[in-house]
Amino acid sequence: MVAVAILAAGRGTRMKSSLPKVLHDLGGRSLVERVLGSLSGVAIDRCFVIVGYQSEFVRETLQSFPDLEFVEQAQQLGTGHAIQQILPHLQGYSGDLLVLNGDVPLLRAETLKNLLQTHQSHQNAATLLTAHLSQPKGYGRVFCDDQNRVEEIIEDRDCTPPQRQNQRVNAGIYCFRWADLERVLPQLQPNNDQQEYYLTDVVRDLSPVMAVDVEDFQEILGINDRKQLSAAAKILQTRLKDDWMAAGVTLIDPESITIDDTVTLEPDVVIEPQTHLRGNTTIAGGSRIGPGSLIENSQIGERVTVLYSVITDSVVQAGTSVGPYAHLRGHAQVGAECRVGNFVELKNSTLGDRTNVAHLSYLGDTTTGERVNIGAGTITANYDGVRKHKTKIGDRTKTGSNSVLVAPVTLGADVNIAAGSVVTENVPDDCLVIARARQVLKPGWRLKHSAD
Ligand code: UD1
Ligand code: CA
């Protein structure tokens, strides 16, 4: 039996934030969600989350995780005090307790599985993750005997200068035989610089306690301040990009690209520099995105190109080209083999296949058929100051340059609109519409009016 306790009650003073530390965002998910994520595939029977500072907010953030048991730590008197709060919940429990720090978000599930396995196969009273850091500042130092048995853990601030030289640090990730921990937990004393009850002090009273080094020290980096948060984001990005490249995606200048871990890419996608992929975005094979593009919560089909453009909450189908400098938003849906070009904005609009909107247009709340050509500078006037109205455009219709379609308005199929028209009434199929003042010519006008 394995129960888990996640320490998430602290405020995180060093973040200098009104937000609880464990709710700070790391690449699209909060720290504590990532810690929970590191348990995926690990067989556990119960999962406690110890909450305190802004506990309502933490509970709310974790709503979507089933079967969490929240335990309040009203005052944050230290990590040992936090674990003491679950004593009443685990009376008579005879399994192991895996303790995770809510601010250690880069752990891999594999590492936790190995820790549990080592703990159980050696029948330890406690087993903890350690790493050797070249810059161990801020971490508890782990002191072992010559058999690798842990004798004590001393916090950085409580170390003597020679003790501080020890580079073996405590990751804040432990596995305890609960019956043993239950016995020693109530005896903790706050005899330290912070006058807190340290969970790490229990190792003095337990035996045997074993330290297990992680292979990749980056996994155990804790987040205490904004600088560490940004370092973790970078590590996460590197991991993610390495995985995508291994899966057949080309990243040109990966350092300049950011990708949320909620994004899905197919093999043979090419991502160019300064491109950012966010949220629930998928990009199909053969597409080339960037340079200089932002795609968020959007589905991009095969062989699409996107150049210096922003696409949010939208769908673009196969073979379409977008940009340079286009903006698709508010559920734009662009069909296959379309061209959405320079300085074009599409909002809540659907374009049929092989439709072009190539230059300087705004289409809002518009639906077009197939093979439509929207002339340069065509604008849908979809807002009357109070409400938004719809424009419909039939198959093969062509709008002239600089025409304004005043919604609500419907244009049939095979319609041609003369340049500069302001169309306010519906147009049936197969018509030419000229809705502008006729040109007036006044020969000799300049001579009469500019005598001097
Ligand atoms: C802790 C360890 C240290 C280790 C480091 C690894 C102790 C005493 N020290 O130090 O040995 O190297 O983690 O990252 O455990 N929390 C509560 N309630 C409290 C206090 C803290 O829930 O009363 C939570 C915090 O929200 C946080 C976690 O426990 O998620 C760790 O607390 P933090 O204050 O960051 O501990 P460190 O000083 O980093
Ligand atoms: Ca910490």
Side-chain angles (χ1 to χ4, degrees), residues 329 347 362 365 382-390 407-408:
R329 64 185 179 96
K347 191 231 46 175
Y362 169 64
D365 308 301
N382 62 327
Y383 185 48
D384 60 13
V386 183
R387 262 178 281 161
K388 304 278 171 71
H389 300 282
K390 289 188 162 37

Side-chain angles (χ1 to χ4, degrees), residues 7 9-10 21 73 76-79 101-103 140 155 170-171 198 224:
L7 300 177
K21 175 167 69 179
Q73 183 194 17
Q76 287 80 56
L77 304 179
T79 50
N101 263 4
D103 64 348
E155 290 307 294
N170 170 29
Y198 286 169
N224 300 302

Side-chain angles (χ1 to χ4, degrees), residues 14 21 79 101-104 138-139 171 221-225 228:
R14 288 165 279 180
K21 175 167 69 179
T79 50
N101 263 4
D103 64 348
V104 180
Y139 290 89
L221 297 178
I223 311 299
N224 300 302
D225 56 34
Q228 289 170 328

